[in-house]
Amino acid sequence: MVPADLLGLEVGVVDAPLTSWWTVVALALLAVLLVVLAVRRRRAEPRRRAWPAAVGAALVVVLALAVGANAYVGYIATWEGLLAHLGVHRDAQPPWTPQTRPTPDSPQVAQIGDPPVEGSGHFGVARIPVPAERNLPTTDTWIYTPPGFDTSGETLYPMVILMHGSPGRSVDWFSAGAGDVLDDLITTGQLRPVIVVSPDVNTPGASEAACLDSTLGGAQVETYLQEDVRPWVEGHYPIATDRTYQAIGGMSSGAFCALDQGLRHSSDTGTILALMPYGTPGAGADGQLEGQDQIDAHSPSVYVDTIDLTSPTAVFLAYGENERDDEVVETAHHLDERLRARGEPVELVVLPGEGHTWRASIALLPQAMAFWERQMAAGEAS
């Protein structure tokens, strides 16, 4: 187990007014000033109306509480993220359609530049078609392309699919600041340019996202991910499809999705990034799976010793030291022990001072991406 502060990487890199305690302090001071103003006006001139200042103070207090809660949770880190949650966002920019996809003679997988690339990445929304038999609505999928993105097809990019938690939406990773973190890692030479895909994996009628194919006639989320999302992205973007360059990750219930999908599809996915992971589908199986045998077949904590794996299947596990859910801690340590026993590359990180929040997920994202970069480099060297 490696404490996050010993890894030599910056944590908590997103610094924005919406997640700053200084913003909370400033709003609290403003509320106090408005209250003082209201009291003084009332005392000086009893007939003079003081309610505008009082109402303003109340509104500022509510805003301060909201920003304080967000500062703790880290759910919306940037103004761009706030606008995205309000439905104001950019479209993703596919470089081409499958019919116009270039076929370069010798495309090369993206590498860390010397010097690294400069600039900012782009993230926006794509609407991936959903076949009717999936029993899923068409929803927003967020896609990030890196700084210096090459649209010629000469450069192939590694791809990571990142899952949101429950309750959650596909925008969550980017509203929490993942775009800024990725830009920083890529432009400082800690991570090669990559493409990030964040689909909506909510299941109609289920209380939690678990990325399952219902055996009771419901949604087919796993098939959607494997047969719709992946092929669509690979048809519209220059993706390095070798498993060395394919990763899947998530936070909370999304970490369960990443583990279950990644372990059971290890022939396609080389690295799993599980932040605050669960080892069973929990409430996500309610109304989706029938019987304990089906639940066990989707429980990494149960099948970790017996499932067939394409080696190496690298797994990054992490949680905050203030984690209150015992299942998360037990899952992380159990999978760390059992996967190591199988000879797979595993890293377990505990983040000091944090709990089960988006703030912790974003703080852990640099370590997770650095782990993936090491796996890609190891695969290239072997």
Side-chain angles (χ1 to χ4, degrees):
M1 182 175 68
V2 182
D5 56 354
L6 299 181
L7 292 177
L9 291 169
E10 185 178 7
V11 298
V13 296
V14 177
D15 185 15
L18 294 176
T19 55
S20 172
W21 290 108
W22 289 111
T23 303
V24 179
V25 172
L27 289 171
L29 290 175
L30 177 59
V32 170
L33 290 174
L34 288 172
V35 169
V36 171
L37 176 62
V39 171
R40 285 186 174 180
R41 294 182 71 178
R42 183 68 175 173
R43 288 178 176 176
E45 301 179 50
R47 294 183 179 180
R48 192 172 184 181
R49 294 181 178 180
W51 67 264
V55 171
L59 292 175
V60 172
V61 168
V62 171
L63 182 59
L65 291 173
V67 174
N70 188 63
Y72 175 75
V73 175
Y75 186 53
I76 300 177
T78 65
W79 295 114
E80 191 173 19
L82 177 61
L83 291 174
H85 270 281
L86 296 175
V88 181
H89 52 67
R90 299 174 293 183
D91 290 333
Q93 296 180 327
W96 13 259
T97 65
Q99 292 75 24
T100 62
R101 178 172 182 165
T103 55
D105 293 333
S106 55
Q108 301 294 316
V109 177
Q111 301 290 323
I112 295 175
D114 184 17
V117 297
E118 298 179 348
S120 300
H122 176 99
F123 61 88
V125 168
R127 303 283 284 184
I128 298 177
V130 184
E133 59 268 26
R134 305 290 186 255
N135 294 323
L136 288 167
T138 299
T139 52
D140 291 342
T141 295
W142 285 77
I143 298 177
Y144 167 91
T145 50
F149 181 56
D150 179 8
T151 62
S152 71
E154 295 287 345
T155 303
L156 301 180
Y157 293 93
M159 177 177 73
V160 57
I161 297 177
L162 288 181
M163 313 292 193
H164 59 79
S166 294
R169 300 165 53 194
S170 56
V171 69
D172 289 352
W173 275 103
F174 293 103
S175 70
D180 290 346
V181 173
L182 292 163
D183 285 354
D184 182 68
L185 293 172
I186 292 168
T187 58
T188 57
Q190 299 176 73
L191 174 70
R192 70 189 68 197
V194 300
I195 288 175
V196 180
V197 179
S198 184
D200 189 322
V201 293
N202 286 307
T203 305
S207 60
E208 290 186 2
C211 305
L212 303 171
D213 276 356
S214 172
T215 59
L216 300 173
Q220 307 296 296
V221 182
E222 179 173 359
T223 300
Y224 166 66
L225 291 172
Q226 297 297 325
E227 298 184 12
D228 302 320
V229 173
R230 284 182 180 275
W232 190 92
V233 176
E234 291 171 3
H236 289 78
Y237 293 87
I239 300 296
T241 57
D242 186 281
R243 68 184 297 273
T244 299
Y245 304 108
Q246 293 282 309
I248 190 168
M251 67 88 70
S252 192
S253 65
F256 163 79
C257 287
L259 285 166
D260 189 42
Q261 297 299 310
L263 293 173
R264 292 192 304 102
H265 296 279
S266 64
S267 60
D268 300 318
T269 303
T271 300
I272 300 168
L273 310 172
L275 312 182
M276 297 165 282
Y278 290 96
T280 68
D286 295 346
Q288 305 299 311
L289 302 178
E290 184 176 12
Q292 191 62 45
D293 287 346
Q294 290 186 6
I295 294 174
D296 289 347
H298 285 276
S299 297
S301 291
V302 174
Y303 63 62
V304 61
D305 289 324
T306 57
I307 191 168
D308 290 335
L309 291 177
T310 301
S311 291
T313 294
V315 181
F316 179 87
L317 301 159
Y319 63 90
E321 68 173 353
N322 295 335
E323 174 64 57
R324 295 182 179 181
D325 193 327
D326 290 341
E327 184 181 350
V328 169
V329 178
E330 292 168 2
T331 295
H333 286 270
H334 175 65
L335 294 182
D336 175 59
E337 176 186 349
R338 301 318 305 158
L339 288 167
R340 287 181 187 277
R342 295 189 61 167
E344 304 301 337
V346 186
E347 189 169 283
L348 173 59
V349 169
V350 179
L351 181 64
E354 297 291 343
H356 199 103
T357 64
W358 272 106
R359 176 185 173 90
S361 294
I362 292 299
L364 286 164
L365 190 58
Q367 285 84 354
M369 290 296 165
F371 176 82
W372 182 29
E373 175 60 47
R374 292 195 295 274
Q375 307 317 307
M376 290 189 283
E380 292 167 342
S382 62

